[in-house]
Amino acid sequence: MERPAWAPQGIDISVPSVSRMYDFYLGGSHNFEVDREAARKAMEFMPGLPKIMQANRAFMRRAVRHAVSEGVTQFLDIGSGIPTFGNVHEVALAADPEARVAYVDHDSVAVAHSQAVLEGNDRAVIANADLRRPQEILKNSEVNEVLDLNRPVALLLVAVLHFIEDADDPQSAVAELTEALAPGSLLILTHASYEGVPLAREEAGGAVGVYRDIRNPLIMRSREEIGRFFEGYEMVEPGLVSMPDWRPDSPAAREQEDPYAFSGFGGVGRKA
Protein backbone atom coordinates (compact mmCIF):
# COMPACT_ATOMS: atom_id res chain seq x y z
CA MET A 1 0.00 0.00 0.00
CA GLU A 2 1.46 3.32 -1.05
CA ARG A 3 1.79 5.83 1.79
CA PRO A 4 0.49 9.33 0.90
CA ALA A 5 2.65 12.33 1.78
CA TRP A 6 0.28 13.45 4.57
CA ALA A 7 0.49 10.13 6.47
CA PRO A 8 3.19 10.08 9.19
CA GLN A 9 5.76 7.29 8.98
CA GLY A 10 4.93 6.01 12.47
CA ILE A 11 1.37 4.85 11.78
CA ASP A 12 0.16 1.49 10.56
CA ILE A 13 -1.98 2.27 7.51
CA SER A 14 -3.23 -1.33 7.34
CA VAL A 15 -5.35 -0.84 10.49
CA PRO A 16 -8.66 1.11 10.41
CA SER A 17 -8.81 4.35 12.40
CA VAL A 18 -12.06 5.77 13.80
CA SER A 19 -10.96 9.35 13.04
CA ARG A 20 -10.25 8.44 9.41
CA MET A 21 -13.56 6.56 9.18
CA TYR A 22 -15.27 9.71 10.49
CA ASP A 23 -13.44 11.70 7.82
CA PHE A 24 -14.78 9.28 5.19
CA TYR A 25 -18.37 9.59 6.47
CA LEU A 26 -18.06 13.39 6.11
CA GLY A 27 -16.74 13.13 2.56
CA GLY A 28 -13.12 13.90 3.42
CA SER A 29 -10.04 12.68 1.58
CA HIS A 30 -7.75 11.77 4.49
CA ASN A 31 -8.60 8.10 4.80
CA PHE A 32 -7.31 4.79 3.44
CA GLU A 33 -9.09 1.91 1.76
CA VAL A 34 -8.92 -0.03 5.03
CA ASP A 35 -10.89 2.80 6.71
CA ARG A 36 -13.39 2.98 3.86
CA GLU A 37 -13.88 -0.79 3.94
CA ALA A 38 -14.64 -0.75 7.68
CA ALA A 39 -16.96 2.25 7.28
CA ARG A 40 -18.86 0.62 4.43
CA LYS A 41 -19.23 -2.56 6.49
CA ALA A 42 -20.73 -0.52 9.37
CA MET A 43 -23.04 1.22 6.88
CA GLU A 44 -24.37 -2.17 5.73
CA PHE A 45 -26.01 -2.37 9.15
CA MET A 46 -26.64 1.34 9.66
CA PRO A 47 -26.76 3.13 6.28
CA GLY A 48 -27.50 6.48 7.90
CA LEU A 49 -24.10 6.79 9.61
CA PRO A 50 -23.01 9.72 7.36
CA LYS A 51 -26.25 11.55 8.27
CA ILE A 52 -25.50 11.06 11.96
CA MET A 53 -22.00 12.49 11.50
CA GLN A 54 -23.35 15.47 9.55
CA ALA A 55 -25.88 16.19 12.31
CA ASN A 56 -23.06 15.93 14.82
CA ARG A 57 -20.98 18.52 12.94
CA ALA A 58 -23.95 20.84 12.50
CA PHE A 59 -24.65 20.67 16.26
CA MET A 60 -21.01 21.47 16.98
CA ARG A 61 -21.11 24.57 14.77
CA ARG A 62 -24.29 25.86 16.42
CA ALA A 63 -22.86 25.21 19.90
CA VAL A 64 -19.61 27.04 19.08
CA ARG A 65 -21.55 30.05 17.82
CA HIS A 66 -23.64 29.94 21.00
CA ALA A 67 -20.48 29.91 23.13
CA VAL A 68 -19.13 33.00 21.39
CA SER A 69 -22.50 34.74 21.79
CA GLU A 70 -22.19 34.08 25.54
CA GLY A 71 -18.71 35.61 25.65
CA VAL A 72 -16.75 32.33 25.72
CA THR A 73 -14.05 32.60 23.07
CA GLN A 74 -11.59 29.89 24.21
CA PHE A 75 -12.15 26.35 22.94
CA LEU A 76 -10.58 23.06 24.04
CA ASP A 77 -11.62 20.39 21.53
CA ILE A 78 -10.61 16.92 22.74
CA GLY A 79 -10.82 14.07 20.26
CA SER A 80 -10.88 16.64 17.49
CA GLY A 81 -10.06 14.21 14.67
CA ILE A 82 -9.06 15.24 11.16
CA PRO A 83 -10.06 18.84 10.33
CA THR A 84 -12.69 19.20 7.64
CA PHE A 85 -14.51 22.25 6.35
CA GLY A 86 -16.31 24.18 9.08
CA ASN A 87 -14.19 22.98 11.98
CA VAL A 88 -14.12 24.67 15.39
CA HIS A 89 -11.45 27.27 14.67
CA GLU A 90 -13.13 28.32 11.42
CA VAL A 91 -16.53 28.75 13.10
CA ALA A 92 -15.11 30.42 16.21
CA LEU A 93 -12.85 32.84 14.34
CA ALA A 94 -15.66 33.77 11.97
CA ALA A 95 -17.76 34.67 15.03
CA ASP A 96 -14.91 36.41 16.89
CA PRO A 97 -11.47 37.02 15.32
CA GLU A 98 -9.96 37.00 18.83
CA ALA A 99 -11.11 33.43 19.56
CA ARG A 100 -8.51 30.80 20.46
CA VAL A 101 -8.69 27.05 19.88
CA ALA A 102 -6.65 24.14 21.21
CA TYR A 103 -7.31 20.83 19.46
CA VAL A 104 -6.30 17.59 21.17
CA ASP A 105 -6.15 14.10 19.66
CA HIS A 106 -4.17 10.92 20.23
CA ASP A 107 -4.39 9.81 16.57
CA SER A 108 -1.10 10.65 14.85
CA VAL A 109 -2.78 11.15 11.45
CA ALA A 110 -5.24 13.62 12.95
CA VAL A 111 -2.40 15.47 14.67
CA ALA A 112 -0.19 15.58 11.57
CA HIS A 113 -2.96 16.80 9.29
CA SER A 114 -4.09 19.37 11.85
CA GLN A 115 -0.56 20.71 12.03
CA ALA A 116 -0.59 21.20 8.26
CA VAL A 117 -4.01 22.89 8.31
CA LEU A 118 -3.09 25.18 11.21
CA GLU A 119 0.38 26.17 9.97
CA GLY A 120 0.78 29.94 10.33
CA ASN A 121 -2.36 30.27 12.47
CA ASP A 122 -1.36 31.77 15.82
CA ARG A 123 -4.86 31.40 17.29
CA ALA A 124 -5.16 27.60 17.04
CA VAL A 125 -2.89 24.67 17.92
CA ILE A 126 -3.01 20.88 17.96
CA ALA A 127 -1.66 18.78 20.83
CA ASN A 128 -1.05 15.02 20.91
CA ALA A 129 -2.68 13.80 24.13
CA ASP A 130 -5.30 11.37 25.40
CA LEU A 131 -8.65 12.14 27.03
CA ARG A 132 -8.07 9.23 29.40
CA ARG A 133 -5.17 11.16 30.93
CA PRO A 134 -6.59 14.64 31.66
CA GLN A 135 -3.46 16.02 33.30
CA GLU A 136 -1.56 15.26 30.11
CA ILE A 137 -3.92 17.71 28.41
CA LEU A 138 -4.16 20.33 31.15
CA LYS A 139 -0.36 20.57 31.51
CA ASN A 140 0.37 20.44 27.78
CA SER A 141 2.55 23.39 26.72
CA GLU A 142 0.78 23.80 23.37
CA VAL A 143 -2.63 23.92 25.04
CA ASN A 144 -1.43 26.46 27.60
CA GLU A 145 0.19 28.51 24.86
CA VAL A 146 -3.20 29.56 23.49
CA LEU A 147 -5.65 28.99 26.36
CA ASP A 148 -5.86 30.73 29.73
CA LEU A 149 -7.56 28.17 31.96
CA ASN A 150 -8.21 30.88 34.55
CA ARG A 151 -10.84 32.26 32.17
CA PRO A 152 -13.96 30.47 30.84
CA VAL A 153 -13.29 27.79 28.24
CA ALA A 154 -15.68 25.81 26.05
CA LEU A 155 -14.70 22.16 26.46
CA LEU A 156 -15.76 20.12 23.43
CA LEU A 157 -16.20 16.38 23.84
CA VAL A 158 -17.92 15.79 20.52
CA ALA A 159 -18.34 12.17 19.40
CA VAL A 160 -15.43 11.01 21.55
CA LEU A 161 -16.73 9.70 24.90
CA HIS A 162 -18.47 6.78 23.20
CA PHE A 163 -15.00 5.44 22.35
CA ILE A 164 -13.98 5.40 26.03
CA GLU A 165 -14.92 2.17 27.76
CA ASP A 166 -16.35 2.17 31.30
CA ALA A 167 -13.19 0.39 32.47
CA ASP A 168 -11.24 3.55 31.60
CA ASP A 169 -13.62 5.63 33.77
CA PRO A 170 -14.62 8.42 31.39
CA GLN A 171 -16.77 9.94 34.16
CA SER A 172 -13.68 10.67 36.26
CA ALA A 173 -11.79 12.04 33.25
CA VAL A 174 -14.59 14.53 32.51
CA ALA A 175 -14.86 15.45 36.19
CA GLU A 176 -11.10 16.12 36.35
CA LEU A 177 -11.28 18.39 33.31
CA THR A 178 -14.34 20.14 34.73
CA GLU A 179 -12.59 20.83 38.03
CA ALA A 180 -9.77 22.59 36.15
CA LEU A 181 -12.11 24.93 34.27
CA ALA A 182 -13.09 28.41 35.43
CA PRO A 183 -16.69 29.23 36.40
CA GLY A 184 -18.70 30.19 33.32
CA SER A 185 -17.00 27.51 31.22
CA LEU A 186 -19.13 25.39 28.92
CA LEU A 187 -19.25 21.66 28.19
CA ILE A 188 -20.29 20.89 24.59
CA LEU A 189 -20.93 17.16 24.25
CA THR A 190 -22.40 14.61 21.84
CA HIS A 191 -22.65 10.88 22.39
CA ALA A 192 -23.90 7.84 20.49
CA SER A 193 -26.89 5.92 21.82
CA TYR A 194 -29.31 3.26 20.65
CA GLU A 195 -32.04 5.75 21.57
CA GLY A 196 -33.35 7.56 18.50
CA VAL A 197 -31.79 5.20 15.96
CA PRO A 198 -34.51 4.32 13.38
CA LEU A 199 -33.54 0.65 13.44
CA ALA A 200 -34.10 -2.33 15.68
CA ARG A 201 -31.39 -2.53 18.33
CA GLU A 202 -30.18 -5.82 16.86
CA GLU A 203 -29.59 -4.20 13.45
CA ALA A 204 -27.82 -1.18 14.91
CA GLY A 205 -25.76 -3.59 16.98
CA GLY A 206 -24.24 -4.92 13.78
CA ALA A 207 -22.57 -1.54 13.16
CA VAL A 208 -21.40 -1.45 16.77
CA GLY A 209 -19.89 -4.88 16.18
CA VAL A 210 -17.77 -3.54 13.30
CA TYR A 211 -16.13 -1.05 15.66
CA ARG A 212 -15.56 -3.79 18.21
CA ASP A 213 -13.91 -5.93 15.54
CA ILE A 214 -11.42 -3.16 14.69
CA ARG A 215 -10.61 -2.84 18.41
CA ASN A 216 -12.26 0.54 18.82
CA PRO A 217 -15.39 -0.42 20.75
CA LEU A 218 -18.34 1.94 20.32
CA ILE A 219 -20.05 2.27 23.70
CA MET A 220 -23.73 3.05 23.27
CA ARG A 221 -24.95 4.73 26.46
CA SER A 222 -28.47 5.71 27.49
CA ARG A 223 -29.62 9.33 27.77
CA GLU A 224 -29.48 8.99 31.57
CA GLU A 225 -25.89 7.71 31.46
CA ILE A 226 -24.83 10.48 29.07
CA GLY A 227 -26.47 13.07 31.31
CA ARG A 228 -24.12 12.12 34.16
CA PHE A 229 -21.19 13.64 32.26
CA PHE A 230 -22.82 17.02 32.90
CA GLU A 231 -22.44 16.79 36.68
CA GLY A 232 -21.20 20.20 37.85
CA TYR A 233 -22.91 22.01 34.98
CA GLU A 234 -26.26 23.73 34.57
CA MET A 235 -27.84 22.55 31.33
CA VAL A 236 -28.41 25.18 28.67
CA GLU A 237 -31.88 25.06 27.12
CA PRO A 238 -33.21 22.81 25.61
CA GLY A 239 -31.06 20.38 27.61
CA LEU A 240 -29.76 17.00 26.46
CA VAL A 241 -31.66 16.28 23.25
CA SER A 242 -31.24 14.72 19.82
CA MET A 243 -28.75 16.84 17.87
CA PRO A 244 -31.18 18.45 15.37
CA ASP A 245 -33.38 19.48 18.33
CA TRP A 246 -30.63 21.57 19.93
CA ARG A 247 -31.36 25.14 18.83
CA PRO A 248 -31.91 24.42 15.12
CA ASP A 249 -31.21 27.27 12.74
CA SER A 250 -34.88 27.19 11.74
CA PRO A 251 -37.95 24.96 12.22
CA ALA A 252 -37.72 24.08 8.53
CA ALA A 253 -34.11 22.94 8.91
CA ARG A 254 -35.13 20.63 11.74
CA GLU A 255 -38.13 19.23 9.87
CA GLN A 256 -36.03 18.44 6.80
CA GLU A 257 -33.54 16.30 8.73
CA ASP A 258 -33.05 12.66 7.85
CA PRO A 259 -34.46 10.29 10.53
CA TYR A 260 -30.94 9.02 11.26
CA ALA A 261 -29.88 12.51 12.35
CA PHE A 262 -31.94 12.05 15.53
CA SER A 263 -29.73 9.18 16.73
CA GLY A 264 -27.87 9.86 19.96
CA PHE A 265 -27.75 13.04 22.01
CA GLY A 266 -26.10 16.44 22.26
CA GLY A 267 -26.14 19.14 24.88
CA VAL A 268 -24.38 22.14 26.38
CA GLY A 269 -23.83 22.84 30.07
CA ARG A 270 -22.46 25.87 31.91
CA LYS A 271 -20.24 25.54 34.96
CA ALA A 272 -21.57 27.58 37.86
Side-chain angles (χ1 to χ4, degrees):
M1 185 186 303
E2 185 176 350
R3 181 182 296 271
W6 51 263
Q9 288 298 320
I11 66 159
D12 183 351
I13 62 176
S14 67
V15 177
S17 152
V18 293
S19 64
R20 298 194 305 264
M21 289 170 68
Y22 187 81
D23 178 69
F24 171 71
Y25 292 135
L26 290 174
S29 59
H30 288 80
N31 48 76
F32 305 121
E33 181 54 36
V34 67
D35 307 307
R36 296 188 284 273
E37 183 180 345
R40 292 188 193 108
K41 189 175 293 185
M43 289 169 63
E44 289 176 10
F45 297 100
M46 198 183 295
L49 277 168
K51 295 294 183 183
I52 298 173
M53 307 310 167
Q54 290 163 20
N56 186 77
R57 296 286 296 191
F59 163 86
M60 178 273 289
R61 291 193 288 267
R62 296 195 304 276
V64 168
R65 289 195 292 267
H66 168 76
V68 174
S69 75
E70 292 292 307
V72 179
T73 57
Q74 299 190 108
F75 297 87
L76 176 58
D77 184 0
I78 302 177
S80 52
I82 297 170
T84 54
F85 177 74
N87 215 306
V88 174
H89 72 282
E90 294 175 339
V91 178
L93 289 169
D96 186 334
E98 297 301 309
R100 292 176 174 269
V101 179
Y103 292 113
V104 175
D105 208 289
H106 74 288
D107 184 305
S108 53
V109 167
V111 171
H113 188 54
S114 298
Q115 288 170 335
V117 169
L118 299 174
E119 188 174 0
N121 187 329
D122 63 356
R123 309 204 73 80
V125 298
I126 175 70
N128 190 340
D130 195 317
L131 172 58
R132 291 167 292 191
R133 295 186 287 277
Q135 289 303 315
E136 187 178 287
I137 297 170
L138 295 168
K139 295 178 180 178
N140 184 278
S141 59
E142 290 156 317
V143 170
N144 286 286
E145 176 186 325
V146 297
L147 301 185
D148 177 1
L149 297 181
N150 294 311
R151 295 173 43 236
V153 170
L155 169 62
L156 286 92
L157 298 175
V158 174
V160 62
L161 285 166
H162 48 232
F163 291 114
I164 307 295
E165 297 182 80
D166 290 340
D168 288 319
D169 199 0
Q171 190 83 40
S172 292
V174 176
E176 194 170 339
L177 290 165
T178 297
E179 186 177 356
L181 299 180
S185 291
L186 301 175
L187 172 60
I188 298 171
L189 181 153
T190 65
H191 198 296
S193 176
Y194 283 118
E195 296 176 43
V197 178
L199 288 175
R201 182 170 177 144
E202 294 73 21
E203 292 178 84
V208 173
V210 172
Y211 283 88
R212 183 180 60 248
D213 292 343
I214 64 170
R215 298 181 183 177
N216 280 283
L218 181 60
I219 312 302
M220 305 289 267
R221 296 186 172 97
S222 69
R223 183 178 182 276
E224 181 181 354
E225 289 171 322
I226 298 165
R228 293 182 194 135
F229 291 117
F230 286 95
E231 289 180 6
Y233 295 89
E234 297 175 359
M235 294 302 296
V236 172
E237 288 294 331
L240 184 62
V241 294
S242 61
M243 292 174 290
D245 286 323
W246 197 90
R247 304 194 175 201
D249 292 329
S250 70
R254 190 258 183 220
E255 290 166 7
Q256 291 167 8
E257 285 285 6
D258 184 281
Y260 274 99
F262 295 88
S263 307
F265 296 97
V268 177
R270 178 180 289 276
K271 183 178 177 180

Coordinates of all heavy atoms in Angstrom, one line a residue, residues 6 17 31 42 65 68 70 98 138 149 159 162 164-165 188 192 224 251 268 270:
W6 N 0.8 12.9 3.3 CA 0.3 13.4 4.6 C 0.3 12.4 5.7 O -0.1 12.8 6.8 CB -1.1 14.0 4.4 CG -2.1 13.1 3.7 CD1 -2.4 13.1 2.4 CD2 -2.9 12.1 4.3 NE1 -3.4 12.1 2.1 CE2 -3.7 11.5 3.3 CE3 -3.0 11.6 5.6 CZ2 -4.6 10.4 3.5 CZ3 -3.9 10.5 5.9 CH2 -4.7 10.0 4.8
S17 N -8.8 3.3 11.4 CA -8.8 4.4 12.4 C -10.2 5.0 12.5 O -10.8 5.3 11.4 CB -7.8 5.4 12.1 OG -8.1 6.7 12.6
N31 N -8.3 9.4 4.3 CA -8.6 8.1 4.8 C -8.0 7.1 3.8 O -7.7 7.4 2.7 CB -10.1 7.9 5.0 CG -10.9 8.4 3.8 OD1 -10.9 7.7 2.7 ND2 -11.5 9.6 3.9
A42 N -19.8 -1.1 8.3 CA -20.7 -0.5 9.4 C -22.0 0.0 8.7 O -23.1 -0.1 9.3 CB -20.0 0.6 10.2
R65 N -21.0 28.7 18.0 CA -21.5 30.0 17.8 C -22.3 30.5 19.1 O -22.2 31.7 19.5 CB -22.5 30.1 16.6 CG -21.7 30.0 15.3 CD -22.6 30.4 14.1 NE -23.7 29.4 13.9 CZ -23.7 28.4 13.1 NH1 -22.6 28.2 12.3 NH2 -24.7 27.6 12.9
V68 N -19.7 31.7 21.7 CA -19.1 33.0 21.4 C -20.2 34.1 21.7 O -19.8 35.1 22.3 CB -18.7 33.1 19.9 CG1 -18.3 34.5 19.6 CG2 -17.6 32.2 19.6
E70 N -22.2 34.0 24.1 CA -22.2 34.1 25.5 C -20.9 34.6 26.1 O -20.7 34.6 27.3 CB -22.5 32.7 26.1 CG -23.9 32.2 25.9 CD -24.9 33.0 26.6 OE1 -24.8 33.2 27.8 OE2 -25.9 33.5 25.9
E98 N -10.9 37.1 17.7 CA -10.0 37.0 18.8 C -10.1 35.6 19.5 O -9.4 35.4 20.5 CB -10.3 38.1 19.9 CG -10.0 39.5 19.3 CD -8.6 39.7 18.9 OE1 -7.7 39.4 19.7 OE2 -8.4 40.2 17.8
L138 N -4.1 19.1 30.4 CA -4.2 20.3 31.2 C -2.8 20.9 31.3 O -2.6 22.2 31.4 CB -4.8 20.1 32.5 CG -6.3 19.7 32.5 CD1 -6.7 19.2 33.9 CD2 -7.1 20.8 32.0
L149 N -6.6 29.0 31.2 CA -7.6 28.2 32.0 C -8.1 28.9 33.2 O -9.0 28.4 33.8 CB -7.0 26.8 32.4 CG -6.5 25.9 31.2 CD1 -6.0 24.6 31.7 CD2 -7.7 25.7 30.2
A159 N -18.5 13.5 20.0 CA -18.3 12.2 19.4 C -17.0 11.5 19.8 O -16.4 10.9 19.0 CB -18.4 12.3 17.9
H162 N -18.0 8.1 23.5 CA -18.5 6.8 23.2 C -17.4 5.8 22.7 O -17.6 4.7 22.5 CB -19.6 6.8 22.2 CG -19.5 7.6 21.0 ND1 -20.4 8.6 20.6 CD2 -18.5 7.7 20.1 CE1 -20.0 9.2 19.5 NE2 -18.8 8.6 19.1
I164 N -14.7 5.7 24.8 CA -14.0 5.4 26.0 C -14.8 4.4 26.8 O -15.9 4.6 27.2 CB -13.8 6.7 26.9 CG1 -13.2 7.8 26.0 CG2 -13.0 6.4 28.1 CD1 -11.8 7.6 25.6
E165 N -14.2 3.2 27.1 CA -14.9 2.2 27.8 C -15.1 2.5 29.2 O -14.3 3.3 29.8 CB -14.2 0.9 27.6 CG -14.1 0.4 26.1 CD -13.4 -0.9 26.0 OE1 -14.1 -2.0 26.2 OE2 -12.2 -1.0 25.6
I188 N -19.6 21.2 25.8 CA -20.3 20.9 24.6 C -20.0 19.4 24.3 O -18.9 19.0 24.1 CB -19.8 21.8 23.4 CG1 -20.1 23.3 23.8 CG2 -20.4 21.4 22.1 CD1 -19.4 24.2 22.8
A192 N -23.1 8.8 21.2 CA -23.9 7.8 20.5 C -24.8 7.1 21.5 O -24.4 6.9 22.7 CB -23.0 6.8 19.8
E224 N -29.8 8.8 30.1 CA -29.5 9.0 31.6 C -28.0 8.9 31.8 O -27.4 9.7 32.6 CB -30.2 8.0 32.4 CG -30.0 8.1 33.9 CD -30.8 7.1 34.7 OE1 -31.5 6.3 34.1 OE2 -30.6 7.0 35.9
P251 N -37.1 26.1 12.1 CA -37.9 25.0 12.2 C -37.9 24.1 10.9 O -37.9 22.9 11.0 CB -39.3 25.6 12.4 CG -39.1 26.9 13.0 CD -37.8 27.4 12.4
V268 N -25.4 21.2 25.9 CA -24.4 22.1 26.4 C -24.7 22.5 27.8 O -25.9 22.6 28.2 CB -24.5 23.4 25.5 CG1 -23.5 24.5 26.1 CG2 -24.1 23.1 24.1
R270 N -23.3 24.8 31.4 CA -22.5 25.9 31.9 C -22.0 25.6 33.4 O -22.9 25.3 34.2 CB -23.2 27.2 31.8 CG -22.4 28.4 32.4 CD -23.2 29.7 32.3 NE -23.3 30.1 30.9 CZ -22.4 30.8 30.2 NH1 -21.3 31.2 30.9 NH2 -22.6 31.2 29.0

